[in-house]
Amino acid sequence: MKSPIEYLRFHRLASFVIGIALGSVVAVFAQDTTISAGASNPPKEEGKFRKSELIELIKLDPTIRLDVRYAKSNNFVGRPLYKEERAFLQRPAAEALVKAHRSLKQYGYGLLIFDGYRPWRVTKLFWDVTPAALKKFVANPANGSRHNRGCAVDLSLFDLKTGKEISMPSEYDEMTDRAYPTYTGGTDEQRRMRDLLKQEMEKQGFTVFSIEWWHFDYNNWREYPILDIDFSEIK
Ligand SMILES: [Zn+2]
């Protein structure tokens, strides 16, 4: 499968330059050069938050499939950022996700999870390696991400019969307008699949991100704090 960077390089002239820019920033990062960015610690937030209860998704339903790209090298940074291929969400979001997964069965599909809870330090790393022109696709660490609260999930569909990932109008983490859930290009079938995913997730209380068809926020995300713990520290 092509990485987003490969897409940027091979498919669009305008994006070619951006792809090269992203590639060189990643290369710089790979050499362990420190790149300065605003926040160096998670933001301090006022107010009362619910107690975090991160649940491993496959413990609620082992038929949910994982392809956690940040635990592998086929992500936009080009190297693994997680030590373990695991995915967690806060309990209400995790339970809603399982409902969407089970509802999709009637159409012959299941949920394929790319990412759930993400430690704040990884959000900061994404910000640091992404060029300014593409920063709208990554969360500002000064505010934190809804992934840091365990209330956002990146996902797609897989075919229950073949086990294969379903083709969508763009690749996961592709930083182009093909990623928009309102994008009118691609094939009819790709858009139909993207819209089915959105329909089933929104039925369960998730909202799709306006520029990424794969990213969904659970409606109570404001109630949870920004976290920066490792998967291995989750009880
Ligand atoms: Zn996301």
Side-chain angles (χ1 to χ4, degrees), residues 70-234:
Y70 303 136
K72 308 170 189 180
S73 295
N74 61 340
N75 60 59
F76 77 98
V77 181
R79 63 180 172 86
L81 306 165
Y82 298 160
K83 290 190 198 86
E84 304 168 285
E85 185 174 17
R86 301 172 75 186
F88 303 81
L89 286 175
Q90 297 292 353
R91 181 176 284 283
E95 287 174 349
L97 186 96
V98 167
K99 284 187 192 156
H101 174 68
R102 290 179 181 164
S103 173
L104 279 159
K105 214 176 230 177
Q106 64 186 305
Y107 305 105
Y109 304 107
L111 291 178
L112 176 67
I113 310 298
F114 298 132
D115 199 24
Y117 161 69
R118 178 185 304 158
W120 179 86
R121 69 197 78 161
V122 175
T123 291
K124 174 165 163 50
L125 189 153
F126 288 173
W127 181 260
D128 292 349
V129 302
T130 303
L134 294 174
K135 273 192 166 40
K136 67 175 176 180
F137 288 101
V138 293
N140 187 333
N143 307 320
S145 156
R146 292 161 197 186
H147 283 287
N148 304 150
R149 301 177 197 274
C151 296
V153 61
D154 296 338
L155 78 181
S156 189
L157 299 173
F158 73 91
D159 187 310
L160 288 176
K161 275 201 203 101
T162 65
K164 285 202 175 132
E165 183 179 346
I166 296 297
S167 175
M168 293 290 186
S170 83
E171 295 293 326
Y172 172 51
D173 268 349
E174 182 179 327
M175 297 181 188
T176 73
D177 57 3
R178 286 192 290 261
Y180 289 35
T182 50
Y183 176 63
T184 53
T187 67
D188 290 352
E189 183 63 8
Q190 286 171 332
R191 289 193 308 278
R192 196 174 74 79
M193 292 293 98
R194 176 195 68 195
D195 295 347
L196 175 66
L197 174 65
K198 176 172 180 279
Q199 171 195 300
E200 293 302 310
M201 290 295 283
E202 294 198 336
K203 255 191 222 168
Q204 303 304 336
F206 289 90
T207 304
V208 73
F209 186 27
S210 61
I211 60 171
E212 295 176 349
W213 61 259
W214 58 82
H215 175 111
F216 291 84
D217 296 313
Y218 193 59
N219 57 19
N220 72 351
W221 62 268
R222 285 178 190 80
E223 298 170 20
Y224 288 92
I226 289 170
L227 302 169
D228 193 24
I229 57 169
D230 226 51
F231 293 168
S232 59
E233 296 174 77
I234 298 170

